[in-house]
Amino acid sequence: MVTLADVARLVGVSAMTVSNVVHDRPGVSDDVRRRVQEAIVATGYRPNPSAQALKSGRTGVIGLAVPSLGAAYFGQLAVRVGAVAAARGYRLAVEQTGARVAGEVEAIATSRRTALDGLILSVVDADPSDLRGYAADTPLVLLGERAPDREIDHVSMPNDVGAEAATRHLWTQGSRRIAFMGPEASDRPDGLARRLAGYESAVADLGQSPVRIAAPTLSMEAGRAAARALPAGVDGVVAATDTLALGVLRGLADAGRTVPGQVRVVGFDDLDESPYAVPSLSSVRPDHDWMAELAVATLVERIEGRAGPAVAHVAPFVLVERESSG
């Protein structure tokens, strides 16, 4: 295996000079930089990540653990986090937790075994308070569904205020019996519970009774099946996620009910696919880029020892009005 010292001897410079070229540091003349780069190509030299990690105490890799990359939201989140991490000089390793506490705790253990510099964890099942011990010696930022723990940095969705805004929007557009579609209460993660709470707060203020429509999962097929059996008189649906809402559009079409003529629909997350549905889907859009940027920035501060007390942030949002809500 070609070493950094081999390249230095070939060019006739010090090993430090070769290291400066490899890491694109200043202080090397253009001629020497060119000759070192040519020698690197000629010899096939590759930096040794393990040796670099031992020397610096870091690997330059951070982790992202999400419930499932099969869910459109988390796939798009991984792309955003990866782009932000790369801009800060870090590579991203992604794994799936299965939305179970065992998978979420194992993601932290894996980040230690593989010497990741830090981990961004989307928590669904684990109690954040149970993760305090891990955060003590593992740079950790939590995302999403569970209520924040004051001892761990947390970036969350505008769940309640976003769902409340969606409900009031449907009312403004003319809907008078608005339903909320999501998982059964026992299966509803904290974030979705807060979306339900925002919906319930809005309908109470509007003098209406809540209508809850259970969907066994957050899949498009679950939304389609639930929409086919939509109770008579319901003329507005706030779906817990865009994935569910896209299924609702299909189910209403199957049942011969027009959108937005007979039923208006609003989702949550504003997936990349939502503007292309027919009709295009209105949705609560949290600032996904803001969340990715803040999560990575906060983690890097922890990694580099520049962070203070743990902080909790809630993403800003806008309600994107499209055809599905008229």
Side-chain angles (χ1 to χ4, degrees):
M1 181 180 294
V2 179
T3 68
L4 185 144
D6 294 330
V7 176
R9 281 193 295 270
L10 180 62
V11 181
V13 297
S14 69
M16 178 58 71
T17 298
V18 176
S19 177
N20 288 339
V21 173
V22 169
H23 294 94
D24 197 26
R25 299 187 186 113
V28 181
S29 70
D30 292 343
D31 177 63
V32 171
R33 188 179 298 275
R34 176 185 55 78
R35 289 193 289 122
V36 169
Q37 290 170 339
E38 289 174 351
I40 287 173
V41 172
T43 60
Y45 167 73
R46 295 290 181 273
N48 185 328
S50 298
Q52 291 180 332
L54 287 172
K55 184 176 181 180
S56 67
R58 299 176 191 161
T59 61
V61 182
I62 62 174
L64 172 67
V66 298
S68 171
L69 289 171
Y73 169 75
F74 292 112
Q76 292 169 23
L77 173 67
V79 171
R80 289 183 169 95
V81 171
V84 175
R88 289 179 171 267
Y90 286 84
R91 297 182 64 84
L92 183 70
V94 183
E95 66 175 297
Q96 303 176 92
T97 65
R100 294 291 180 264
V101 61
E104 291 166 0
V105 171
E106 177 60 23
I108 301 175
T110 298
S111 73
R112 288 172 163 178
R113 288 196 301 269
T114 57
L116 296 181
D117 291 340
L119 178 68
I120 299 171
L121 174 62
S122 180
V123 181
V124 175
D125 201 29
D127 186 332
S129 63
D130 294 334
L131 303 177
R132 293 174 185 165
Y134 297 101
D137 58 2
T138 300
L140 181 64
V141 173
L142 303 183
L143 292 181
E145 303 298 346
R146 298 306 303 266
D149 185 285
R150 293 184 179 182
E151 297 181 25
I152 306 176
D153 295 303
H154 188 271
V155 181
S156 64
M157 293 273 205
N159 292 298
D160 45 2
V161 292
E164 183 174 353
T167 306
R168 293 184 182 279
H169 168 65
L170 290 177
W171 179 270
T172 300
Q173 294 299 96
S175 295
R176 289 299 177 265
R177 193 176 184 215
I178 304 169
F180 180 89
M181 184 182 293
E184 293 281 4
S186 60
D187 299 324
R188 188 180 296 118
D190 284 1
L192 299 186
R194 290 198 294 276
R195 293 180 192 182
L196 172 61
Y199 156 81
E200 291 178 330
S201 174
V203 293
D205 287 346
L206 295 169
Q208 305 297 303
S209 298
V211 179
R212 301 178 191 173
I213 302 173
T217 68
L218 294 174
S219 67
M220 283 190 241
E221 183 53 38
R224 180 182 190 181
R228 285 172 172 173
L230 198 69
V234 169
D235 58 0
V237 174
V238 175
T241 68
D242 271 18
T243 301
L244 201 58
L246 291 170
V248 170
L249 296 181
R250 178 70 260 177
L252 290 172
D254 293 344
R257 301 179 75 171
T258 61
V259 179
Q262 294 174 291
V263 183
R264 299 176 180 88
V265 181
V266 179
F268 201 116
D269 291 331
D270 197 32
L271 298 179
D272 292 345
E273 296 83 358
S274 297
Y276 301 98
V278 180
S280 56
L281 179 63
S282 297
S283 184
V284 176
R285 179 199 289 166
D287 193 332
H288 302 297
D289 292 330
W290 181 93
M291 293 179 67
E293 180 69 45
L294 186 62
V296 173
T298 302
L299 186 65
V300 169
E301 287 184 350
R302 290 288 172 204
I303 292 169
E304 298 180 353
R306 294 184 285 106
V311 293
H313 300 277
V314 179
F317 77 96
V318 294
L319 178 62
V320 183
E321 300 178 25
R322 300 192 180 101
E323 295 166 344
S324 70
S325 63

